[in-house]
Amino acid sequence: MPAKLNVNIDHVATIREARKTIEPSVVGAAKLCEKAGADGITIHLRQDRRHIQDLDLEQLRSTVSTYLNLEHAVTEEMLLIAEKFKPDAVSLVPESPNEITTEGGLDVQSNVSAIKDAVQRLKAAGIHVSIFIDPSIGQIDAAAEVGADQIEICTAEYAELTLDHEDRRSDPAKVAAEIARIATAAKYAREKGLVVAAGHGLTTKNVGALASMPEISEFNIGHHIISRSIFIGLENAVREMIDAIRK
Ligand code: PXP
């Protein structure tokens, strides 16, 4: 079965919040993604509320008919929100105040006790729990130890290596090494009984090498799809990514 695609629609809210107005509609965007064949919708409710707002979560909870994946940091405030709205899944992510986007995976190894408590609370609320981690054996062991159902492999490093800057072409040997690191992590996590997702910085150009790994059953992709939607429309951008995953 091809991997599922959850579309991260944070950037729709980013545009709205740039003007503190009512458009573009996050709910409308989610509906179009679903119509185009997305398997789910992902949103990140940040502590600084720079894009997605609490009301978006509330409205999406009652309108998303596929699968709603809420990313949030491990804080009491966020756990209470997740317990209240009960998204289908929660993805625990690290968050630091001045970052432009999520920088790397959560350090589960160094925070076992707090993350274990969070995972237990979310699971008790009937929520499927994923943890966003770097492709490291130690972090996978820790994710299994805290009782996560799923890991999401952070592909930021891979994305950076596959990005062709004007002044720097990607280095095939480095790309191959990073693909191998992700493949090893994905296999190891599956052997431990964890569901394996991947995301961050993925595009129609670089997703193929990961989509061909049978262990990866879900992708969370935002920036590229929303960027493409400016030129070809949201439905086409979602379909284009689904095609790239299934190719
Ligand atoms: N997965 C996680 C855990 C993320 O934090 C993000 C970014 O919000 C993504 C996936 C999607 O990354 P991108 O927007 O680069 O596709």
Side-chain angles (χ1 to χ4, degrees), residues 3-7 42 152 197-199 202 207 210-212 216-221 245:
K4 292 177 182 163
L5 171 66
N6 296 335
V7 180
T42 294
E152 178 177 348
L202 297 178
V207 77
L210 308 187
S212 65
I216 299 180
S217 55
E218 175 190 295
F219 289 102
N220 289 289
I221 306 179
I245 290 170

Side-chain angles (χ1 to χ4, degrees), residues 146-212:
V146 301
D149 300 299
Q150 172 173 326
I151 58 155
E152 178 177 348
I153 296 175
C154 175
T155 53
E157 185 84 28
Y158 170 68
E160 180 60 28
L161 287 170
T162 50
L163 201 64
D164 276 332
H165 294 282
E166 275 169 18
D167 56 349
R168 201 207 69 201
R169 306 295 293 174
S170 60
D171 177 339
K174 284 188 182 162
V175 172
E178 185 59 16
I179 290 174
R181 188 165 84 108
I182 293 171
T184 303
K187 281 199 187 85
Y188 185 76
R190 281 301 299 137
E191 279 161 23
K192 294 218 124 195
L194 293 158
V195 178
V196 180
H200 209 285
L202 297 178
T203 68
T204 48
K205 281 192 183 155
N206 68 15
V207 77
L210 308 187
S212 65

Side-chain angles (χ1 to χ4, degrees), residues 8 10 71 93 102 132 152 199-201 220-223:
N8 181 314
D10 292 349
E71 297 176 2
V93 295
T102 312
F132 186 57
E152 178 177 348
H200 209 285
N220 289 289
I221 306 179
H223 185 88

